Amino acid sequence: MRQFRWNPNRGDWSGDDTPRRPTSPASLSLLLLVPLALILFAGGPSLVAFLTELLWFDEVNAAQVFWIRIWPQALLFVAASLVSFAVLYLSWRPALARIDLPDEMFLSRKRQRQLLFLAALILSLFQGAGARGRWEEALLFLSGVPFGVDDPLFGRDLAFYIFRLPFITFLRQWLQGLFVLAFGGVALLIALGGTTRGQQMPFPLARAEKRQLSLLGSTIALFWSLGFFLARYDLLYSSRGVAFGASYTDVFAELPALTILAGLTFFLALIVLVGLSRKTWKFAGLILALWALANLALRGAYPGIIQKYVVEPNEYQRERPFIEHNITATLRAYGLDTVEALAFDPLPTTTAEMVAANPETIANIRLWDEATLLRSYRQLQEIRSYYDFADIDIDRYDFDGDYRQVMLAPRELDLTQLQNPTWVNRHLEFTHGYGLVMNPVNEVTATGQPVLWARDLPPRLSVPLVIDRPQIYYGEKASTYALVRTTVQEFDYPMGGSNVRTTYDGTGGIAVGSFWRKVLFSLRLGDSELFFSDALTAESRILLYRNVGERVRKIAPFLLFDGDPYLTVIDGRLLWILDGYTTTDRYPYAEQIALRLGRTTERINYIRNSVKVTVDAYDGTVFFYAVDETDPLLKAWRKIFPGLIQDGDSLPDAVRAHIRYPKDLFRIQGEIFRTYHMTDPNTFYNKEDVWTTALDRQGKSLDPYYLMMRLEEDPEFTLIAPFLPVGRNNMIAWLAARSDGPNYGELFLYRFPKQTLIYGPSQIEALIDQHPEISAQLSLWGQRGSEVIRGQVLVIPIDRSILYVQPLYLKAENSDLPELKRVIVASGNRISWAETLDEALWGLVGSPAPEAPPARQEEREKPPLLAEEDNTARLIRQAQERWDSAQEALRRGDWEAYGRNMADVEALLKRLVTLTETPDRTDEGPPSIPDGLL
């Protein structure tokens, strides 16, 4: 084995004169091809994803959005990689050149440079990849607009903290990390050179080595100093004090400490840069030791001393101005600074005159809980096992001047329930849901079921509503791709013993008929059957991202979206409406709140419902509309993505009539407002008047709910939430958000007098439990094996009174179909219940006012706008409805439902016979009974 020894006289490694073997060109090529092959192997799927994403963005007319997202990422990656390579290679190359290593032991000099080049290249690519993900921060840095509000500590416009500071902070950290990497590489090479010379650590450094290390170390110290300086601004997000934001200790202890440390670190950088080359290591070490002591004293001990001995003995006086900053910023950040607070001193009870004066409110009192109604929909209208209703949506429609609140649900396809889930069935044949179910919120059939204004397949409508395209290709449950315009006709809807077929005729989808498109999407989806299928033609299209939430997030990832898309019927088409939010967690002094997004939690302290989005359920067309054009965050994103979000004036009137104040935003605002309604700093500090959302009898928080109520002249679609004092069950206030017309987005707070007891929902439920008749009947139903389901207690303002309404449902032991059995109403200490809302109301307030007698619930099988019908016609229609339901149950083999519906038919026919035999009938004769019922 050949031996080498360091020759200090010659300054190199000595050995024999055996000629070195030259480097093989083949081995060098192999060395360079390995990383290239790895890049191609890893980049293949990325290329496929890139091409298919580009095709999809082009389909939704958002190709510009795609490229605006790609180019900043590419530029950041290239720029960061080039800068990283320049810093690393130009730092390491001189260090390598100054050390002399034996070629046979440490490769040839050329191979050493090649490995150094490769190491710098790989590390720079990693550095570039880390910077690429900050494209949003970079674009906001360049496109931010002023907020017009300055922070109270440094006097800077909030745009600095929200748009510029995040990218500046990242850039400083990234550059500091890069120079630390360069410093570490140089130090490693120098140590390697000294070790190979047989020197013991620590060994003396050459002048050039000292100069290079001092330059890199000084640069690191400069970035470190900048970090301390920028950390001063982070005090605006401190949680040290009694309120979020910079506190007394932060301002008078932490802020000076950071300023001093920034100065000391900057001085240390100068000493390292100048002093090391002059052999002043000891002086630099002294400065470093002084810096370490200052850091411990100024950021550790000193703030603790100030907090304990200055702040805590006089906490309110010290913290008061900072509490005021926190309250002001929080209310502004969550859009609560414009809440109009009104005193509301209700009368003891609701009167008959109040009921008669508010027919629109009474006619739109919701008797159906969403969960209960969903169970009814699934039992009555799923029709087939592969259909499902995801949830219940609440909206309002103007039916020829009759403004009605309705509940509805789209009938979507659930592929997991297919009896034969073959590839053809999942992707070519069963491609879409069909139609919807709609009912008024307060109408009930004679059998306790909702009155369905839209039902069955194909849709049958009892209101002046047109549905030209009932197919639902894009919805809440859609989770996989669909192939349309193939040789396989799509299943449209069931009819009797056969099925109706259809072929997609929309503009949605990406052409997939060509050979290369099939290759591309087969690779993207990991589905070889797509490529080998004979069903695809030149006209075939593939529908991707069919879940409406996923679809809009794909186009606009910078927005957060409400968790409840809702379906509307507009101009004969089914249209989804989604609420988009602009958010940030960088609003100075504003309290933060946690948002649950799927499996992750994101903290924010600013939110605006700035965007409304529509998605066509048939062709997937997406439109974004700006509804809060004053929002600075939205202005910045519109500068970044011009043309994506249209002006609010472009929102069609038909869509504007259905936009509603979103529940998710209202919940967030309610959670903040229950504390921040206390604008007096002393009250806030002592937490004297903290509220909580209304609770039911089990202590569960009640969800905000939509209500038709009169705030000014006309009834409005309003979202309300009652509040209770913490630890008590009486109601203290309620918050309302308006959804209609020019008043959209306005918030009202109605405060009840603290000296007056206003029952909360749980107290009303306790009074109901104490009612002898109600309690006895509930016990009787329970003994018979039926399940009593108590609906949500609704708090409904009627003029200057409060009305409470709770529906009661009954579910048989062997059935999953709940029936509305009773309606309980209460006002003050009075409680009434009956089979219908009208009867319960008049039992509460006395005889109906003669000028406005409301119709009985079961007599309103159609809304008043269509026709006024007598009892005979009503009974005939109800009997026909139950007959149809019985026949449908018979077709699907549901014998229990068949028997129940036939029993209802029999009861209705008996009532009809009794009615036609009464002596005061006219001479027109009995009405004809449909043949199908005989």
Side-chain angles (χ1 to χ4, degrees):
M1 181 176 180
R2 186 162 177 80
Q3 300 293 325
F4 293 90
R5 296 182 185 279
W6 176 255
N7 189 331
N9 296 324
R10 295 175 52 184
D12 63 0
W13 291 83
S14 299
D16 61 24
D17 296 329
T18 305
R20 300 186 181 98
R21 185 173 59 184
T23 302
S24 168
S27 62
L28 179 59
S29 301
L30 181 62
L31 182 66
L32 295 176
L33 284 175
V34 168
L36 180 61
L38 291 174
I39 292 173
L40 290 175
F41 179 77
S46 298
L47 179 61
V48 170
F50 175 86
L51 295 175
T52 52
E53 289 291 287
L54 177 58
L55 290 171
W56 182 81
F57 273 90
D58 187 60
E59 178 220 336
V60 295
N61 297 316
Q64 182 185 17
V65 174
F66 177 81
W67 288 114
I68 290 175
R69 292 169 56 186
I70 292 297
W71 284 118
Q73 295 183 60
L75 290 174
L76 277 175
F77 175 77
V78 172
S81 297
L82 289 176
V83 170
S84 298
F85 181 79
V87 171
L88 295 178
Y89 190 70
L90 294 180
S91 299
W92 296 347
R93 176 67 185 271
L96 179 65
R98 286 193 298 268
I99 62 176
D100 191 6
L101 304 178
D103 293 350
E104 287 79 354
M105 190 172 183
F106 295 96
L107 307 178
S108 67
R109 176 64 65 175
K110 183 178 181 181
R111 183 64 60 83
Q112 293 167 13
R113 288 195 297 268
Q114 291 171 349
L115 287 177
L116 188 70
F117 181 92
L118 186 61
L121 178 61
I122 292 174
L123 289 175
S124 65
L125 292 177
F126 278 108
Q127 288 286 105
R132 182 178 67 91
R134 301 301 184 117
W135 65 275
E136 290 186 351
E137 293 179 3
L139 291 177
L140 287 174
F141 176 84
L142 298 172
S143 304
V145 298
F147 271 70
V149 178
D150 294 339
D151 81 273
L153 184 57
F154 299 103
R156 287 182 172 272
D157 188 275
L158 302 189
F160 170 77
Y161 303 97
I162 294 172
F163 297 128
R164 295 179 178 85
L165 186 59
F167 187 69
I168 293 173
T169 301
F170 158 73
L171 198 60
R172 183 208 67 80
Q173 293 173 344
W174 184 83
L175 287 171
Q176 181 174 321
L178 175 63
F179 278 93
V180 168
L181 191 61
F183 183 92
V186 171
L188 181 64
L189 288 172
I190 293 174
L192 183 62
T195 302
T196 55
R197 291 194 297 267
Q199 296 177 326
Q200 297 291 327
M201 294 285 288
F203 45 81
L205 299 177
R207 184 178 183 84
E209 292 171 339
K210 291 181 180 179
R211 187 181 300 111
Q212 186 176 17
L213 288 176
S214 66
L215 181 61
L216 292 173
S218 175
T219 305
I220 293 170
L222 284 174
F223 284 121
W224 203 352
S225 173
L226 180 60
F228 282 117
F229 182 81
L230 295 177
R232 297 157 67 247
Y233 299 119
D234 288 335
L235 295 177
L236 294 171
Y237 312 102
S238 171
S239 57
R240 185 199 299 269
V242 296
F244 188 84
S247 64
Y248 183 93
T249 302
D250 292 318
V251 173
F252 293 100
E254 192 76 18
L255 180 59
L258 290 171
T259 304
I260 293 171
L261 288 172
L264 282 176
T265 311
F266 181 79
F267 187 57
L268 177 63
L270 296 179
I271 294 299
V272 171
L273 179 64
V274 178
L276 285 183
S277 60
R278 299 182 179 179
K279 300 182 180 180
T280 55
W281 285 90
K282 294 181 179 180
F283 185 60
L286 179 62
I287 295 296
L288 184 60
L290 179 62
W291 175 91
L293 290 174
N295 191 26
L296 288 174
L298 294 176
R299 299 200 68 189
Y302 181 59
I305 293 172
I306 294 296
Q307 181 69 27
K308 186 171 182 62
Y309 297 106
V310 177
V311 175
E312 290 183 4
N314 308 280
E315 190 171 48
Y316 172 68
Q317 289 76 15
R318 301 296 186 190
E319 298 286 11
R320 174 170 180 161
F322 308 106
I323 294 174
E324 292 175 344
H325 299 332
N326 171 256
I327 293 173
T328 301
T330 300
L331 292 175
R332 187 185 295 123
Y334 290 95
L336 295 168
D337 55 324
T338 58
V339 173
E340 184 175 347
L342 302 171
F344 188 72
D345 189 0
L347 296 175
T349 60
T350 303
T351 65
E353 290 74 21
M354 294 177 184
V355 172
N358 291 270
E360 298 90 353
T361 300
I362 301 299
N364 288 285
I365 292 177
R366 179 167 59 84
L367 299 181
W368 291 100
D369 277 4
E370 295 176 34
T372 304
L373 183 63
L374 186 61
R375 293 165 71 174
S376 297
Y377 276 10
R378 286 172 173 168
Q379 289 295 309
L380 298 173
Q381 284 290 308
E382 275 189 356
I383 310 297
R384 293 289 188 270
S385 62
Y386 42 76
Y387 286 128
D388 190 22
F389 298 101
D391 59 16
I392 300 294
D393 296 326
I394 300 179
D395 199 3
R396 72 284 195 200
Y397 286 79
D398 190 331
F399 296 117
D400 295 339
D402 190 10
Y403 199 40
R404 299 299 297 272
Q405 185 178 188
V406 301
M407 307 176 81
L408 67 153
R411 187 184 290 104
E412 296 196 60
L413 194 64
D414 186 358
L415 293 176
T416 63
Q417 298 301 317
L418 287 177
Q419 298 299 311
N420 186 26
T422 64
W423 183 84
V424 171
N425 281 345
R426 287 185 293 110
H427 297 293
L428 279 71
E429 186 164 356
F430 290 87
T431 57
H432 59 273
Y434 200 93
L436 55 83
V437 182
M438 176 190 292
N439 67 285
V441 296
N442 73 326
E443 296 191 18
V444 186
T445 68
T447 57
Q449 299 304 320
V451 173
L452 301 181
W453 284 355
R455 58 176 183 166
D456 297 343
L457 296 171
R460 296 168 56 189
L461 303 172
S462 303
V463 287
L465 203 63
V466 178
I467 303 178
D468 296 323
R469 288 290 189 187
Q471 293 88 355
I472 302 173
Y473 285 86
Y474 298 86
E476 291 183 88
K477 293 187 70 69
S479 59
T480 186
Y481 69 91
L483 294 165
V484 296
R485 297 183 192 169
T486 66
T487 59
V488 177
Q489 279 201 312
E490 302 168 51
F491 168 81
D492 204 22
Y493 61 88
M495 177 172 284
S498 61
N499 296 324
V500 177
R501 301 282 175 173
T502 188
T503 299
Y504 182 70
D505 191 33
T507 58
I510 307 167
V512 73
S514 70
F515 173 82
W516 289 111
R517 291 283 179 91
K518 288 196 287 186
V519 170
L520 198 61
F521 284 100
S522 295
L523 292 174
R524 168 64 188 275
L525 300 169
D527 192 342
S528 60
E529 293 193 55
L530 190 155
F531 177 77
F532 291 106
S533 174
D534 295 330
L536 300 186
T537 70
E539 299 298 320
S540 297
R541 306 182 76 83
I542 184 170
L543 310 182
L544 297 175
Y545 299 120
R546 298 198 295 139
N547 180 283
V548 291
E550 181 185 18
R551 192 173 185 84
V552 297
R553 284 191 294 270
K554 195 73 179 176
I555 299 173
F558 50 87
L559 296 175
L560 295 182
F561 289 93
D562 195 271
D564 183 26
Y566 60 100
L567 191 72
T568 60
V569 183
I570 297 177
D571 297 331
R573 301 183 74 90
L574 302 183
L575 207 66
W576 293 96
I577 298 180
L578 296 92
D579 290 279
Y581 305 117
T582 51
T583 63
T584 182
D585 62 347
R586 300 290 302 173
Y587 200 97
Y589 269 109
E591 184 69 35
Q592 291 189 343
I593 193 170
L595 276 185
R596 185 73 177 175
L597 303 171
R599 297 182 179 180
T600 62
T601 300
E602 180 174 326
R603 301 196 68 84
I604 65 166
N605 67 352
Y606 173 94
I607 186 169
R608 290 290 185 274
N609 176 212
S610 300
V611 179
K612 301 288 184 180
V613 189
T614 63
V615 182
D616 192 290
Y618 187 73
D619 59 29
T621 304
V622 182
F623 290 104
F624 293 80
Y625 301 97
V627 291
D628 184 359
E629 299 185 53
T630 63
D631 176 27
L633 272 172
L634 181 63
K635 289 180 180 179
W637 287 118
R638 294 185 75 185
K639 285 177 64 177
I640 294 169
F641 296 104
L644 173 63
I645 303 173
Q646 302 179 43
D647 293 338
D649 295 338
S650 302
L651 183 67
D653 291 338
V655 177
R656 191 181 298 276
H658 290 279
I659 64 174
R660 65 187 193 185
Y661 202 88
K663 272 190 178 182
D664 281 356
L665 174 61
F666 197 66
R667 290 189 192 98
I668 293 170
Q669 290 176 317
E671 179 63 24
I672 291 295
F673 199 68
R674 69 186 192 90
T675 302
Y676 283 86
H677 70 90
M678 299 180 290
T679 55
D680 176 70
N682 191 28
T683 305
F684 183 92
Y685 172 77
N686 291 311
K687 299 294 187 287
E688 297 176 11
D689 192 22
V690 179
W691 299 344
T692 184
T693 53
L695 307 174
D696 62 12
R697 55 204 289 265
Q698 284 82 31
K700 180 181 177 182
S701 181
L702 296 179
D703 210 32
Y705 50 91
Y706 292 101
L707 184 70
M708 200 77 76
M709 60 178 291
R710 190 191 305 273
L711 288 173
E712 293 179 355
E713 293 291 331
D714 299 320
E716 299 182 33
F717 191 62
T718 309
L719 181 62
I720 76 169
F723 289 98
L724 318 175
V726 167
R728 299 176 62 188
N729 292 323
N730 62 289
M731 197 159 53
I732 192 66
W734 55 274
L735 185 66
R738 307 171 80 171
S739 294
D740 287 347
N743 300 320
Y744 175 85
E746 293 182 4
L747 297 175
F748 284 84
L749 177 71
Y750 290 84
R751 290 179 180 267
F752 300 126
K754 294 184 179 181
Q755 66 273 14
T756 304
L757 174 63
I758 308 297
Y759 288 128
S762 63
Q763 291 175 319
I764 290 295
E765 289 198 83
L767 290 177
I768 292 172
D769 291 337
Q770 297 169 14
H771 192 282
E773 180 185 349
I774 298 176
S775 177
Q777 185 62 57
L778 293 181
S779 299
L780 181 61
W781 280 332
Q783 291 171 4
R784 292 177 178 176
S786 298
E787 179 187 353
V788 178
I789 303 172
R790 301 177 68 157
Q792 178 179 348
V793 175
L794 300 182
V795 181
I796 303 170
I798 303 287
D799 281 351
R800 288 189 56 204
S801 70
I802 298 295
L803 180 69
Y804 304 88
V805 178
Q806 183 181 44
L808 285 182
Y809 313 97
L810 204 62
K811 187 177 75 69
E813 184 177 2
N814 298 320
S815 171
D816 198 36
L817 182 64
E819 298 177 2
L820 180 65
K821 281 298 182 183
R822 296 289 188 275
V823 180
I824 303 174
V825 296
S827 183
N829 291 315
R830 300 179 62 188
I831 296 176
S832 173
W833 79 328
E835 293 186 3
T836 69
L837 174 64
D838 289 342
E839 292 173 354
L841 272 176
W842 300 127
L844 180 74
V845 303
S847 300
E851 64 272 16
R856 289 172 58 86
Q857 299 293 112
E858 66 270 21
E859 293 175 0
R860 302 186 64 175
E861 195 64 22
K862 287 187 178 181
L865 58 99
L866 293 181
E868 291 293 337
E869 302 177 353
D870 60 14
N871 288 340
T872 302
R874 174 180 58 80
L875 290 173
I876 291 174
R877 182 164 46 259
Q878 289 180 353
Q880 182 66 59
E881 177 184 302
R882 305 318 294 170
W883 171 266
D884 291 342
S885 298
Q887 298 308 303
E888 178 59 36
L890 181 62
R891 282 193 293 272
R892 64 174 184 262
D894 188 345
W895 297 104
E896 180 183 350
Y898 174 76
R900 186 172 58 252
N901 283 294
M902 289 304 296
D904 291 341
V905 170
E906 180 182 0
L908 289 166
L909 289 177
K910 287 179 179 179
R911 292 175 60 186
L912 184 62
V913 170
T914 302
L915 184 63
T916 57
E917 291 176 350
T918 53
D920 57 347
R921 290 281 302 170
T922 64
D923 295 334
E924 297 176 0
S928 60
I929 299 176
D931 294 339
L933 294 180
L934 299 178

